[in-house]
Amino acid sequence: MVRRWVTTVLPAAPAAAIDAISAFGRFAAGRGWVPARAGNFSVRVDADHALVTRSGVDKGSIDASGVAVLALDAPIPAGMSAEAPLHLARYRTDAGVGAIFHVHTVAATVLSRRDLAAGFVRTEGFEMHKTLNGIPTHEGTIEIPVFRNDQDTAGLAREIEAQLGAAPPIPGFLLAGHGLYAWGATAEDARRHVEGLEFLLACHLEERRLR
């Protein structure tokens, strides 16, 4: 009997995807959004693969050694971010997602703890609502979903995707006591959504202080 081994060959990491992750890492680090090497980023490579940051990488100085191409439906190798399952699950659920950025900001961390029981952080009447795709006006409210944190990130990813589904109204969610995930069709869109959501959360936190 001849045993045949099938080896999965991963595509090479595109230079443009590495550059996009590196650029966002510098941007986020400059704003103090990824303290102590926190956070994780990814960019879709093709329908079946994504480029994801490795564990423990300084997000302000990411290069090709700090990322790896992962198959969306294969086991995650050692050395990757513990939250890689959250990225891969989002790509599997929504084919329109091209990049995902996760940051640890003070506003996202505090408000997600405060509003976990409600299941969302609600903001109302901010012009910055219009920075999010599909929201044409400052009028009305948006609700940023909040999910419990869990060290079992594969199970957590299944739980989140079951609730979000494809193309949710807000391109982001919060993990309680942890931070913000945001995405977009491109890395530029994902960065804009991170910026917009972080601004909204910071304003909302300040309003709560003033009350």
Side-chain angles (χ1 to χ4, degrees):
M1 176 180 175
V2 177
R3 183 172 293 172
R4 297 182 179 179
W5 300 98
V6 177
T7 302
T8 300
V9 178
L10 297 174
I18 297 172
D19 289 346
I21 286 178
S22 179
F24 183 78
R26 293 191 300 273
F27 173 78
R31 284 155 179 75
W33 292 354
V34 284
R37 302 192 174 190
N40 37 78
F41 318 137
S42 65
V43 171
R44 187 188 289 273
V45 173
D46 57 31
D48 301 309
H49 302 87
L51 188 68
V52 185
T53 49
R54 297 183 184 275
S55 179
V57 174
D58 182 348
K59 303 309 184 296
S61 57
I62 297 174
D63 58 19
S65 67
V67 295
V69 175
L70 302 183
L72 301 189
D73 287 313
I76 297 172
M80 300 307 302
S81 168
E83 292 155 45
L86 299 173
H87 291 255
L88 302 185
R90 186 94 287 263
Y91 289 122
R92 289 195 300 268
T93 299
D94 189 343
V97 174
I100 303 168
F101 298 142
H102 168 51
V103 295
H104 290 236
T105 70
V106 172
T109 303
V110 172
L111 289 170
S112 61
R113 281 168 55 91
R114 300 283 293 182
D115 290 356
L116 174 60
F120 56 82
V121 175
R122 177 185 289 133
T123 68
E124 181 175 2
F126 287 108
E127 181 71 13
M128 198 61 72
H129 286 180
K130 292 170 16 181
T131 65
L132 306 178
N133 283 357
I135 300 180
T137 177
H138 70 281
E139 297 174 345
T141 64
I142 68 167
E143 294 180 347
I144 307 165
V146 180
F147 298 96
R148 66 182 181 86
N149 196 12
D150 196 317
Q151 296 304 300
D152 175 11
T153 53
L156 181 59
R158 290 190 293 271
E159 177 183 327
I160 290 172
E161 293 307 319
Q163 294 189 51
L164 287 182
I170 302 301
F173 63 80
L174 297 163
L175 290 183
H178 191 158
L180 170 69
Y181 276 82
W183 56 85
T186 65
E188 182 179 350
D189 287 339
R191 170 174 160 164
R192 172 166 47 83
H193 290 154
V194 171
E195 283 190 271
L197 288 168
E198 165 55 20
F199 183 86
L200 290 168
L201 291 166
C203 287
H204 187 60
L205 180 60
E206 186 63 20
E207 282 191 329
R208 288 193 180 187
R209 288 197 189 104
L210 293 173
R211 292 185 194 133

